[in-house]
C-alpha cells in the first residue's frame, strides 16, 4: 500500500480507493503532489513547475530564481525562511528566533499503526494497515519532526499525526504545532463546516473559498457547541450524491483550529490541530510532543459517500469496548420529568410506567449526590445525598434492576461547586489565576484535571460509587467551558500548557475508568453536544447530541451531525410538549420519528401521559426494537436537507440492501403545495421491495421515486416507510 521510488524520491500511499503522493524536492523539502482517487501508478509528471515569482524568496545557495518555498505545494510548512503563507508550526528558540526549517532525513514503512501515547486514536488489524513515518531534521536547532501517515486497506482514509523531538541541550518553546497540513493546487473549492451554539449545534454552512485566510476554531477548552473540529473541502458542483470532496476530522476534545488559506495563485492550504491561542509548550532535551490525529477522508461520489467512509471508519476503528457494534438500550431519563424535585416514590412511578411501555434503562439525572437540591451546590461531592432516596441509591438501583430495567446515573466529575465539601477542603484545585477571582458559569468552577492529585481524588470517589451501586450506564456531563486557565502546580512559563495538559489528564482518567468498568455504557455530554467529537468517542461510544429535544430543531442538528458521526453515536430523546427549550408543540409521531433516527430515549413525565399517548409510545418502542440494528448500524443516507427547504428526509439501508427505512419530515403545511417526490438511494437494482406503497423495483425507487402522501395534514408532519426485499416473481 506504501511505495517509495528511490530514483525520483516519491512516496505513494494507495489502497485501490485513494492515493496520496509526496515528493522530496531540492534541498530535502517535502512537497505535496496529490491526494484523491486511486492511481495505479504515479509517473512523476506532476512535479511543481520551476517558475520565477517576484517577491518569493529562494533558498540559501540557490543558483537561479526558479524555486521558492513561498509557492511550492508543501507537506508540513513553516515560515520565516521563505514561505509567507500560514504555517503548521511555530517554534521559538533560545535566541528569540522563530525560524525552523525541517528537511528530509529518512523514513520507515511499517506494517500496522504505532500507538499514540496518552491520546485517543484510531486502530485496526496490523495486517490491514501500513504506516509511513517520515523523519525531518532542522540540523541547526537539532529538532526532529516526525510525520506519520497510516493507510487502511479497506477504506478511503489517511490518518495523519505529527511529533516533535528536541535533541538539543537547549530548551525550545512550541507556540504552534498542527497535526496536519495539506496544499491543494489551483482549483475552485467550497468549504463546508459545522458551527452553532448551545441547543443549536452543528449547523451546516457552505461557502466558496476565496483568496485570504479563514480560521475555524474553539478557544473554549473543549471542542465546543460553537465549532466542531470537522470540515469539508468540496468541488463546487458536489452535492449529496455526486462530486469530489475531502473531509478533515480532528481526534481531540479540547481547543482546536482549522486554518484555510487561499494564496494569490489560487492554491488552497488546510491546517488542522490544537488551537495556537494562548498555547505554548516547553520542550527540553529528549522531550517529545505528540499532536492529535486527523482523519482525512475522500469521496468522488458526493457527501453521502464521504459520510459513509467516516461512519464505517469510526464504528470499526475508533469506538472500542463491549459496546462496539452492540445495540444500545432504550432509556428514560428523569431530568425533564422531575428536574431536582424527586423522591423515591416519584421515581418508582416513573420506573413502573417505563417498564410497562417497554423501556429498558432508567437514568437518574442530576440531584442524587452531596447536598444537591439545585444547581448551586455539591459538584465534586460524588457521594450519596443521604435521605433523598428512602432505600438509598444502591437499594433503589436494585429495585430498578429487579423490575427488569438497567440502571444509570448522571455525573459531572470535571467541575466543582463553590458550595461543596471538595471546594472547602481544596480551593486550590480549581483553575484560577493568582490574585484574581475566577469567573463562574452555571455557579461552578472547573477542576484542574491537569493535576494528578485532583484526578486521583475524583477517581477514588467514583470507584467507591461504582463498586457499591449496580450501575449499567453513566451520562458524563460538562456544563461550562474553561476560563481562568491557570494551574497553581505549574511554573509561570508553563501556563500555556495547562489547557492541553487538562485534556491529557482527562484522557488518562477516562482510559482508566472505562477499561476498569467495561460493563458500563458511558455516554458523553457537555450541555448536550458541546463535546461531540472523535476524541470522546474513543472512550464513550455515544454522545448526547443536544440539550435541545425539540423535534424540529433536531432535524438540522442531527442532519449536520451525520456529516461525520454515525447514528450509533447520537443520543436522541422524545420529550414533552410544549418543548422545554423552544416551547414548540409537536405531535408524538414526529417526535418519535426524529428520536428513532438516533439512539432512542425518552425524557418526559411518563406518569402524566394519556392512554392514547402511552399507546403511541408503546408502538414507537415496538417498531424501534423491531428495526433497532438497522436504525443504529445501517447505512445512513441523507435525501432532503432541512438547510435547503421545508422538507427533510433520510434513510437507513441494511448492509445486504435487503431492507430500508425512510423518514420524511415536513415543517410547515402549505396550501396548494407542490407535490414532493422522494428518490431513494443505495438500494439493489436487482431487487424488488415491498412496502405500504406496493411492490417496486430498487431501480424504480431510486430513479423515479414516489410521491409523499399529499394528504399529510398540518404543520410538523412526518412519515415512516419500511421497504423489504422480496424474491422477484418469475416472468
Amino acid at each position: 500500500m506504501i511505495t517509495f521510488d528511490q530514483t525520483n524520491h516519491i512516496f505513494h500511499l494507495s489502497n485501490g480507493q485513494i492515493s496520496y503522493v509526496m515528493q522530496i524536492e531540492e534541498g530535502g523539502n517535502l512537497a505535496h503532489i496529490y491526494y484523491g482517487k486511486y492511481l495505479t501508478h504515479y509517473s512523476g509528471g506532476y512535479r511543481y513547475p520551476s517558475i520565477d515569482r517576484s517577491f518569493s524568496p529562494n533558498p540559501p545557495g540557490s543558483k537561479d530564481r526558479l524555486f521558492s518555498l513561498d509557492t511550492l505545494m508543501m507537506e508540513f510548512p513553516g515560515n520565516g525562511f521563505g514561505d509567507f503563507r500560514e504555517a503548521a508550526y511555530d517554534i521559538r528558540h533560545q535566541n528569540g528566533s522563530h525560524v525552523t526549517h525541517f528537511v528530509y532525513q529518512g523514513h520507515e514503512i511499517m506494517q500496522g499503526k504505532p500507538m499514540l501515547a496518552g491520546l485517543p486514536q484510531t486502530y485496526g488489524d496490523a495486517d490491514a494497515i501500513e504506516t509511513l513515518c517520515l523523519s525531518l531534521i532542522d540540523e541547526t536547532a537539532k529538532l526532529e519532526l516526525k510525520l506519520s501517515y497510516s493507510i487502511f486497506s479497506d477504506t478511503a482514509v489517511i490518518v495523519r499525526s505529527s511529533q516533535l523531538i528536541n535533541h538539543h541541550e537547549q530548551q525550545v518553546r512550541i507556540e504552534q504545532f498542527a497535526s496536519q497540513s495539506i496544499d491543494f493546487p489551483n482549483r475552485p473549492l467550497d468549504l463546508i463546516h459545522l458551527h452553532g451554539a448551545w441547543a443549536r449545534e452543528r449547523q451546516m454552512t457552505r461557502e466558496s473559498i476565496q483568496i485570504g485566510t479563514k480560521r475555524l476554531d474553539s478557544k473554549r477548552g473543549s471542542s465546543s457547541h460553537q465549532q466542531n473540529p470537522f470540515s469539508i473541502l468540496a468541488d463546487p458542483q458536489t452535492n449529496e450524491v455526486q462530486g469530489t470532496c475531502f473531509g478533515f476530522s480532528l481526534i481531540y476534545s479540547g481547543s482546536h483550529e482549522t486554518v484555510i488559506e487561499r494564496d494569490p495563485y489560487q492554491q488552497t492550504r488546510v491546517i488542522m490541530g490544537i488551537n495556537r491561542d494562548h498555547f505554548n509548550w516547553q520542550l527540553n532535551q529528549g522531550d517529545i510532543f505528540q499532536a492529535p490525529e486527523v482523519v482525512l477522508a475522500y469521496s468522488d461520489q458526493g457527501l453521502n459517500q464521504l459520510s459513509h467512509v467516516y461512519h464505517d471508519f469510526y464504528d470499526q476503528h475508533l469506538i472500542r469496548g463491549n459496546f462496539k457494534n452492540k445495540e444500545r438500550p432504550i432509556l428514560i431519563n428523569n431530568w425533564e420529568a422531575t428536574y431536582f424535585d424527586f423522591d423515591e416514590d416519584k421515581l418508582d412511578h416513573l420506573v413502573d410506567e417505563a417498564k410497562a411501555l417497554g423501556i429498558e434503562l432508567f437514568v437518574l439525572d442530576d440531584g442524587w449526590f452531596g447536598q444537591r437540591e439545585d444547581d448551586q451546590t455539591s459538584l465534586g461531592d460524588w457521594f450519596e445525598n443521604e435521605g433523598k432516596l428512602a432505600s438509598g441509591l444502591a437499594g433503589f438501583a436494585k429495585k430498578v434492576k429487579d423490575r427488569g430495567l438497567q440502571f444509570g446515573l448522571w455525573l459531572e466529575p470535571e467541575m466543582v461547586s463553590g458550595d461543596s465539601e471538595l471546594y472547602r477542603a481544596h480551593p486550590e484545585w480549581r483553575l484560577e489565576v493568582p490574585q484574581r477571582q475566577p469567573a463562574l458559569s452555571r455557579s461552578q468552577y472547573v477542576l484542574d484535571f491537569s493535576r494528578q492529585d485532583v484526578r486521583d481524588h475524583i477517581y477514588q470517589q467514583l470507584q467507591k460509587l461504582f463498586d457499591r451501586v449496580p450501575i449499567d450506564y453513566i451520562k458524563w456531563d460538562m456544563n461550562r467551558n474553561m476560563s481562568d486557565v491557570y494551574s497553581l502546580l505549574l511554573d509561570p512559563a508553563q501556563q500555556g500548557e495547562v489547557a492541553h495538559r487538562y485534556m491529557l489528564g482527562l484522557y488518562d482518567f477516562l482510559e482508566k475508568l472505562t477499561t476498569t468498568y467495561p460493563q458500563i455504557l458511558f455516554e458523553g455530554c457537555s450541555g448536550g453536544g458541546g463535546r461531540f467529537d472523535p476524541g470522546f468517542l474513543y472512550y464513550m461510544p455515544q454522545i448526547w447530541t443536544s440539550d435541545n429535544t425539540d423535534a424540529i430543531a433536531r432535524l438540522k442538528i442531527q442532519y449536520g451531525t451525520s456529516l461525520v458521526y454515525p447514528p450509533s453515536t447520537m443520543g436522541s430523546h422524545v420529550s414533552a410538549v410544549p418543548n422545554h427549550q423552544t416551547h414548540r408543540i409537536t405531535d408524538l409521531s414526529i417526535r418519535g420519528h426524529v428520536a428513532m433516527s438516533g439512539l432512542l430515549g425518552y425524557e418526559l413525565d411518563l406518569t402524566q401521559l394519556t392512554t392514547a399517548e402511552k399507546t403511541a409510545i408503546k408502538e414507537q418502542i415496538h417498531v424501534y426494537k423491531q428495526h433497532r440494528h438497522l436504525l443504529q448500524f445501517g447505512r445512513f443516507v441523507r435525501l432532503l436537507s432541512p438547510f435547503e427547504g421545508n422538507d427533510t428526509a433520510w434513510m437507513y439501508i441494511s448492509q445486504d440492501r435487503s431492507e430500508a427505512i425512510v423518514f420524511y419530515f415536513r415543517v410547515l403545511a402549505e396550501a396548494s403545495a407542490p407535490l414532493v417526490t422522494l428518490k431513494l438511494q443505495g438500494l439493489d437494482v436487482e431487487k424488488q421491495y415491498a412496502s405500504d406503497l406496493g411492490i417496486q423495483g430498487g431501480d424504480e425507487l431510486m430513479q423515479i421515486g414516489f410521491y409523499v402522501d399529499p394528504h399529510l395534514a398540518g404543520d410538523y408532519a412526518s412519515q415512516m416507510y419500511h421497504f423489504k426485499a422480496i424474491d422477484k416473481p418469475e416472468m
Side-chain angles (χ1 to χ4, degrees), residues 246-291:
F246 306 86
F248 302 86
S249 180
L250 180 67
I251 304 181
Y252 190 61
S253 309
S255 297
H256 59 88
E257 68 177 4
T258 302
V259 178
I260 305 99
E261 181 184 23
R262 195 160 180 83
D263 72 16
Y265 306 109
Q266 308 290 341
Q267 300 172 148
T268 302
R269 174 169 290 177
V270 182
I271 299 170
M272 180 177 260
I274 295 171
N275 199 314
R276 74 191 74 183
D277 188 68
H278 300 308
F279 170 84
N280 60 71
W281 194 276
Q282 291 184 353
L283 202 68
N284 296 308
Q285 186 176 19
D287 285 353
I288 299 172
F289 184 84
Q290 175 67 57

Side-chain angles (χ1 to χ4, degrees), residues 555-556 640-648 665 667:
L555 293 175
K556 288 184 176 179
L640 296 174
S641 171
F643 295 98
E644 297 176 2
N646 192 46
D647 307 287
T648 303
F665 309 95
V667 177

Side-chain angles (χ1 to χ4, degrees), residues 230 247-249 295-297 306-314 564:
F230 171 73
F248 302 86
S249 180
V295 177
L296 282 69
L306 187 75
S307 297
H308 298 162
V309 172
Y310 274 116
H311 292 184
D312 293 346
F313 189 70
Y314 283 164
V564 56

Side-chain angles (χ1 to χ4, degrees), residues 282-354:
Q282 291 184 353
L283 202 68
N284 296 308
Q285 186 176 19
D287 285 353
I288 299 172
F289 184 84
Q290 175 67 57
E293 286 186 348
V294 173
V295 177
L296 282 69
Y298 169 78
S299 166
D300 63 354
Q301 299 175 51
L303 298 173
N304 266 316
Q305 179 61 31
L306 187 75
S307 297
H308 298 162
V309 172
Y310 274 116
H311 292 184
D312 293 346
F313 189 70
Y314 283 164
D315 269 338
Q316 302 307 319
H317 299 292
L318 178 70
I319 292 168
R320 308 174 294 161
N322 292 359
F323 298 95
K324 175 180 177 177
N325 299 327
K326 186 176 180 181
E327 294 179 8
R328 313 289 164 69
I330 301 167
L331 65 82
I332 175 70
N333 185 302
N334 74 297
W335 180 241
E336 290 192 10
T338 68
Y339 293 100
F340 292 104
D341 183 22
F342 63 83
D343 57 24
E344 187 163 330
D345 183 62
K346 188 179 287 189
L347 297 181
D348 279 340
H349 285 94
L350 279 174
V351 173
D352 288 339
E353 292 291 352

Side-chain angles (χ1 to χ4, degrees), residues 426-594:
H426 292 286
E428 75 281 6
W429 281 3
R430 68 183 177 182
L431 293 178
E432 62 171 317
V433 179
Q435 300 179 356
R436 292 186 182 274
Q437 183 67 18
L440 276 168
S441 180
R442 200 173 178 262
S443 302
Q444 61 197 56
Y445 302 109
V446 182
L447 282 173
D448 183 359
F449 256 61
S450 72
R451 296 177 58 140
Q452 186 70 50
D453 52 355
V454 172
R455 302 199 301 273
D456 288 346
H457 180 82
I458 298 297
Y459 188 88
Q460 288 162 12
Q461 289 192 76
L462 298 188
Q463 186 176 39
K464 289 178 182 177
L465 176 68
F466 291 1
D467 290 347
R468 186 176 67 86
V469 180
I471 297 172
D472 302 290
Y473 163 102
I474 287 292
K475 181 179 178 182
W476 181 288
D477 212 342
M478 177 193 182
N479 278 309
R480 65 158 293 177
N481 291 139
M482 290 185 196
S483 62
D484 308 278
V485 180
Y486 192 101
S487 177
L488 298 179
L489 276 192
L490 293 178
D491 293 335
Q494 291 182 280
Q495 294 305 318
E497 303 177 10
V498 176
H500 183 55
R501 286 185 181 274
Y502 180 106
M503 290 312 310
L504 295 177
L506 178 60
Y507 288 149
D508 175 70
F509 187 101
L510 294 178
E511 180 71 20
K512 182 179 179 182
L513 189 69
T514 57
T515 55
T516 302
Y517 298 95
Q519 77 282 5
I520 295 177
L521 172 60
F522 287 87
E523 178 170 302
C525 180
S526 177
R531 202 158 55 182
F532 204 128
D533 60 69
F536 240 67
L537 288 175
Y538 184 70
Y539 305 99
M540 302 184 183
Q542 60 191 61
I543 297 175
W544 180 224
T545 314
S546 177
D547 277 349
N548 190 342
T549 55
D550 172 52
I552 304 307
R554 275 296 189 107
L555 293 175
K556 288 184 176 179
I557 292 169
Q558 291 178 202
Y559 192 98
T561 302
S562 75
L563 268 184
V564 56
Y565 304 109
S568 63
T569 66
M570 288 192 269
S572 186
H573 297 175
V574 174
S575 62
V577 292
N579 179 265
H580 291 198
Q581 290 79 44
T582 65
H583 308 291
R584 198 185 335 254
I585 297 175
T586 55
D587 187 76
L588 255 177
S589 176
I590 192 169
R591 282 181 274 156
H593 288 159
V594 172

